[in-house]
Amino acid sequence: MKKLINEPGAVVDEMLDGMVAAHPELRRLDGTNVLVRGDAPVDGKVAIVSGGGSGHEPTHAGYLGEGMLDGAAAGEVFTSPTADQLNEMIQATDSGAGVLCVVKNYEGDVMNFDTAAEMAGMEDVEVEQVVVNDDVAVEDSLYTSGRRGVAGTIFVHKCAGAKAAQGADLGEVKAVAENVIDNVRTMGMALTSCITPEKGEPTFDLGDDEIELGIGIHGEPGTERADIMSADEITEHLTENVLDDLDLDEGEEVVTMVNGMGGTPLSELYIVNRKLQSMLDERGIETWDAWVGDYMTSLDMMGCSVSVLRVDDELKELLAAPAKTPALTVTEE
Amino acid sequence: MKKLINEPGAVVDEMLDGMVAAHPELRRLDGTNVLVRGDAPVDGKVAIVSGGGSGHEPTHAGYLGEGMLDGAAAGEVFTSPTADQLNEMIQATDSGAGVLCVVKNYEGDVMNFDTAAEMAGMEDVEVEQVVVNDDVAVEDSLYTSGRRGVAGTIFVHKCAGAKAAQGADLGEVKAVAENVIDNVRTMGMALTSCITPEKGEPTFDLGDDEIELGIGIHGEPGTERADIMSADEITEHLTENVLDDLDLDEGEEVVTMVNGMGGTPLSELYIVNRKLQSMLDERGIETWDAWVGDYMTSLDMMGCSVSVLRVDDELKELLAAPAKTPALTVTEE
């Protein structure tokens, strides 16, 4: 194993320290792996928080800041944060206007967020929760009942975060998050496995001429192991599955995301985006905005996911609203 | 070789198409691998252009836009763009106020930019050139006489771009670029080789327990092949070389960059940043801003570089000035 780390057991702790060193506008809650906006709780604003296992950077702490998240809890690599830490995060970010928890659909995450919400509720914090399940690849999987939550989660952070920044109440913010969840679909693939620091060897075996279609962000098995294909063929496979599930009509508008898994050069993600956009063109679907980059990764895995979000006027306005975070900055037009 | 590509020979062409599809505010000059700001030439503004071999994305086209570059020429992977294409770029971006070419120090790039500047000069375009040579690792190298130009180039794009956006004339913009070049130093390292699409196998051999210190961004040999070390030891080695060369005094202010080579997870770059910032603290050097991310990559290489830029009041103002590009957005405070 070759990694830029010190002790495998110190990866999350040291990464969080390095992140706060780069972004002094963030603050680490004492004795936890929770980062919050330095100005949390923000007076009168509904807080948006998220969290999950580490290894998916910039998810989630990279989205902390104006117009997106108020708190992000980092579990150990590919491991849910504890309910105690999630509870601390909820309480530290609540201004009295309530807290929306954005949870990716993995059993550990859902269970620990549930417990944390109960704990915070006993301290009179109003907590609501949404569960993101955008991965169309498999119905049930290792760690998950139902569909997994993957890169589409970042659209939830952006839209719910913008709604909260506009002064909406908890119910309104939750409704926006649910609107995104209802309208976003994702599918991913891997050229190579990831290697976790603790294990130090590939999470799964993939032959030199094989790829895994429908991969999960922890290297969970997908739908199909296939012979290596061209970027266009891979993009077709992912995009067709996503579009079939989303059931778009001609003339509808979408925002797309080509997400890198961590080890894939940006040039290759643009090659995927080229094919994705030509497929949408052919179907008469209009791309209102196209995101390309590493938004939710799987350590050093090579591969990508394709997400498509159907957008209405409200979601477009919220996506275009200002955001200022380490991983995503949106300026006013 | 496992890559998200179609034909190896089509990588640059398809990447550029995919980039324009994601960023319709950019424009590709017909029949070339040159991208420009859609609104180029910008009335009355000095144009800043750059270019070089592909494989370093988001360098350079990712920095096209308000407050940074007006034009970016993409050669084939690790190959200089032709003088003809550079000349087309210079002419397409010149508003009459002149063009500053920001050139990384590689023989092919310098030669072709020189020729292009002569060609454009014959068409009465006023052209100035700066050559970035921030890599402290080696004095001469494969492809280069003198020091190589690496990730510090992005600071040149940012500062010169901001100065031009403020309405400065060509001489003033060039002086800012030279100020950055005089005050920035970088050193890199690799855990693994990159694999170019055309060759399809590692550019150089590195044992399972070896790393290359002082690597160039095309995999050119560095200063030393060493046994694998901890992230802290690697950071110490890179940072000490950079600081020694920059000869900083206690109390001086710097901007730092931990740059990923393409295949390295963001979490690991933050671990490097943690150590870098603690080393600066110990020396009484003040970090005014810290950049962490993939700014100038080497395809899928795993590794990083550390850059340190000494900043004065003018450079701080220019670094903080607004920028809106695919890879870097800076909002007004």
Side-chain angles (χ1 to χ4, degrees), chain A:
Chain A
M1 174 184 63
K2 282 180 168 181
K3 289 186 183 293
L4 286 168
I5 63 172
N6 296 301
E7 294 304 312
V11 163
V12 174
D13 178 55
E14 294 185 351
M15 162 188 86
L16 293 173
D17 278 350
M19 196 167 180
V20 173
H23 301 287
E25 70 276 16
L26 306 182
R27 180 160 53 87
R28 184 168 176 177
L29 298 184
D30 281 348
T32 74
N33 288 343
V34 173
L35 299 190
V36 299
R37 286 174 60 161
D39 58 355
V42 181
D43 246 12
K45 191 182 82 69
V46 170
I48 318 282
V49 300
S50 195
S54 293
H56 308 299
E57 292 69 29
T59 293
H60 293 279
Y63 303 107
L64 281 168
E66 208 184 302
M68 291 189 81
L69 297 181
D70 297 85
E76 289 304 311
V77 173
F78 295 172
T79 304
S80 296
T82 64
D84 280 340
Q85 298 217 355
L86 295 172
N87 174 38
E88 285 201 54
M89 169 172 72
I90 291 168
Q91 298 212 33
T93 54
D94 180 43
S95 68
V99 179
L100 179 70
C101 299
V102 179
V103 186
K104 302 194 298 303
N105 191 33
Y106 297 98
E107 278 167 20
D109 289 5
V110 172
M111 192 174 69
N112 292 346
F113 265 105
D114 276 345
T115 306
E118 273 177 41
M119 293 163 80
M122 289 191 288
E123 305 291 327
D124 292 327
V125 180
E126 199 184 352
V127 185
E128 290 283 352
Q129 182 177 292
V130 293
V131 178
V132 189
N133 58 352
D134 53 320
D135 189 342
V136 303
V138 293
E139 195 48 48
D140 297 299
S141 176
L142 210 58
Y143 316 128
T144 326
S145 303
R147 288 179 165 182
R148 302 173 295 214
V150 288
T153 308
I154 311 310
F155 290 138
V156 181
H157 294 349
K158 179 69 187 79
C159 293
K163 190 75 181 176
Q166 292 174 355
D169 68 27
L170 185 55
E172 293 167 330
V173 173
K174 185 182 182 187
V176 160
E178 286 173 336
N179 186 14
V180 176
I181 293 169
D182 288 345
N183 287 289
V184 66
R185 301 290 186 278
T186 299
M187 187 163 162
M189 61 76 58
L191 293 167
T192 63
S193 173
C194 50
I195 297 178
T196 61
E198 289 284 2
K199 196 171 171 203
E201 51 190 62
T203 301
F204 59 96
D205 291 316
L206 205 51
D208 280 348
D209 296 316
E210 282 181 329
I211 61 174
E212 179 87 22
L213 295 165
I215 193 86
I217 57 170
H218 313 93
E220 311 96 297
T223 46
E224 196 181 332
R225 185 148 302 192
D227 289 341
I228 186 136
M229 307 176 195
S230 70
D232 282 0
E233 288 166 330
I234 288 169
T235 308
E236 268 175 24
H237 186 93
L238 301 180
T239 306
E240 274 169 8
N241 276 283
V242 163
L243 294 180
D244 281 356
D245 203 274
L246 196 52
D247 201 18
L248 284 163
D249 289 325
E250 208 176 310
E252 285 195 287
E253 285 182 295
V254 298
V255 172
T256 59
M257 181 194 292
V258 177
N259 171 58
M261 291 299 192
T264 297
L266 182 57
S267 49
E268 298 180 22
L269 302 182
Y270 279 121
I271 292 173
V272 171
N273 184 58
R274 169 183 172 275
K275 179 66 180 175
L276 168 62
Q277 300 308 328
S278 89
M279 290 179 69
L280 293 170
D281 271 359
E282 280 165 21
R283 285 161 178 75
I285 296 163
E286 210 165 308
T287 297
W288 182 74
D289 196 15
W291 296 21
V292 179
D294 282 7
Y295 296 97
M296 183 180 289
T297 61
S298 302
L299 295 167
D300 53 350
M301 187 188 282
M302 296 181 107
C304 72
S305 64
V306 169
S307 301
V308 178
L309 168 67
R310 176 196 280 116
V311 290
D312 56 22
D313 287 345
E314 183 179 32
L315 293 187
K316 287 194 283 184
E317 185 216 328
L318 295 170
L319 287 163
K324 193 168 180 179
T325 75
L328 186 74
T329 302
V330 178
T331 58
E332 284 187 272
E333 283 308 309

Side-chain angles (χ1 to χ4, degrees), chain B residues 64-80:
Chain B
L64 281 168
E66 207 184 303
M68 292 188 80
L69 298 181
D70 297 84
E76 289 304 311
V77 172
F78 296 172
T79 305
S80 296

Side-chain angles (χ1 to χ4, degrees), chain B residues 121-264:
Chain B
M122 289 190 287
E123 305 292 326
D124 291 326
V125 180
E126 199 185 351
V127 185
E128 290 284 350
Q129 180 177 293
V130 293
V131 177
V132 190
N133 57 353
D134 54 320
D135 189 342
V136 303
V138 293
E139 195 49 47
D140 297 298
S141 177
L142 209 59
Y143 316 128
T144 326
S145 302
R147 289 180 164 183
R148 302 173 295 214
V150 288
T153 308
I154 311 309
F155 291 138
V156 181
H157 294 349
K158 179 69 187 75
C159 295
K163 190 75 181 178
Q166 291 174 355
D169 68 26
L170 184 56
E172 294 167 329
V173 173
K174 184 182 182 187
V176 160
E178 287 175 336
N179 187 13
V180 176
I181 293 168
D182 288 345
N183 286 289
V184 66
R185 301 290 187 279
T186 299
M187 186 164 164
M189 60 77 56
L191 293 167
T192 64
S193 173
C194 51
I195 297 178
T196 61
E198 289 284 4
K199 193 170 173 206
E201 52 190 61
T203 302
F204 59 95
D205 290 317
L206 205 51
D208 280 348
D209 296 315
E210 283 180 328
I211 61 175
E212 179 89 21
L213 295 165
I215 194 86
I217 56 171
H218 315 91
E220 310 97 298
T223 47
E224 196 181 332
R225 185 149 300 192
D227 289 341
I228 185 137
M229 307 177 196
S230 71
D232 282 0
E233 289 167 330
I234 289 169
T235 308
E236 269 175 22
H237 186 93
L238 301 181
T239 306
E240 275 168 8
N241 276 282
V242 164
L243 293 180
D244 282 356
D245 203 273
L246 196 52
D247 201 16
L248 284 162
D249 289 324
E250 208 177 311
E252 285 195 286
E253 286 181 295
V254 298
V255 173
T256 59
M257 181 194 291
V258 176
N259 172 57
M261 292 298 192
T264 296

